[in-house]
Amino acid sequence: MPKVVDPDARRREVVDALFRVVVRDGLQRTSLRAVADEAALNIGSLRHYFASQQELMDFAMQSMLDGLTDRLLRHVEHIGELSRHPPAERLRLAAGLLAELLPLDERRRAEVTVFLDFNAAARTNPAFKDLSDQAAAGARRLVRRVLTRLDESGTLRPGRDLDIETERLTALLDGLGLGAVRNPDVLSPQICTAVLAAHLGDLAGEG
């Protein structure tokens, strides 16, 4: 009897293989052949699931964004009633949510690495632009939502301009992500989380 293959599971395996190749070799050196070898598939089998490299890239990025969104929504549920918590706990919960955007462990490091390579490619490849714009807009919406929750719960110092603070915090997260991927020995996960916590503390007027 022929082996029954779950198409969704096989696609996830291929996407995982793509991420490993991009993290190891960079997006520019990633090809269907390299991904097929990494996934232990022949190229014909891989093309059964993804007809082209562009289709695979689009699916992989959308899968990553969907997975990240699911995790963030679970975190948002925990800070939905911030006023129930003392101020320090509000800041801790907010920092934990935003830390999902930072390369603090192997999974998040792979996501940020792939995202950075993808964004760089989107500058010259129009096929990647929509997903790149979608990811950037989603990150800003998340940051704005967190800051709004903190503001509404009375955690932030009065008079903060949330438009400006959204851009400041988004830029901080972008910078930490880029620096931690490029120079992990300099910008460790511990330093990233400490910098994020310090920034949120400043917004709240701590210290």
Side-chain angles (χ1 to χ4, degrees), residues 18-176:
L18 168 69
F19 276 29
R20 292 194 297 272
V21 173
V22 174
V23 170
R24 184 180 66 236
D25 302 328
L27 186 63
Q28 298 302 321
R29 295 186 179 90
T30 299
S31 64
L32 283 181
R33 173 69 65 185
V35 175
D37 290 345
E38 182 70 24
L41 294 171
N42 62 56
I43 191 71
S45 294
L46 188 147
R47 288 187 184 278
H48 177 72
Y49 299 98
F50 300 101
S52 66
Q53 183 170 342
Q54 184 66 53
E55 184 179 329
L56 171 57
M57 294 292 186
D58 288 346
F59 182 87
M61 283 302 299
Q62 190 63 63
S63 296
M64 185 178 79
L65 293 176
D66 290 345
L68 178 58
T69 298
D70 288 344
R71 295 203 311 272
L72 293 175
L73 287 176
R74 288 196 296 271
H75 278 280
V76 167
E77 291 178 2
H78 292 296
I79 68 168
E81 296 292 338
L82 280 177
S83 57
R84 293 181 177 179
H85 303 289
E89 180 67 3
R90 297 172 200 165
L91 294 174
R92 188 191 70 79
L93 289 170
L97 189 156
L98 295 169
E100 285 296 318
L101 302 175
L102 295 175
L104 303 183
D105 53 30
E106 185 175 350
R107 170 180 52 77
R108 284 176 284 185
R109 177 170 294 279
E111 288 176 344
V112 174
T113 300
V114 171
F115 180 71
L116 288 172
D117 270 17
F118 187 83
N119 263 356
R123 188 179 67 82
T124 56
N125 186 343
F128 293 149
K129 186 176 186 304
D130 285 346
L131 277 175
S132 177
D133 290 347
Q134 176 186 332
R140 277 175 171 75
R141 282 196 302 271
L142 170 71
V143 170
R144 178 59 183 251
R145 187 172 182 178
V146 171
L147 290 175
T148 299
R149 291 284 178 85
L150 290 172
D151 193 41
E152 291 173 348
S153 66
T155 309
L156 299 187
R157 207 174 349 177
R160 292 288 187 180
D161 184 325
L162 293 189
D163 289 336
I164 291 177
E165 297 304 340
T166 294
E167 294 304 320
R168 283 215 307 157
L169 183 48
T170 300
L172 176 69
L173 292 166
D174 286 347
L176 289 173

Side-chain angles (χ1 to χ4, degrees), residues 11 38 88 197 202:
R11 287 188 180 92
E38 182 70 24
D202 287 345

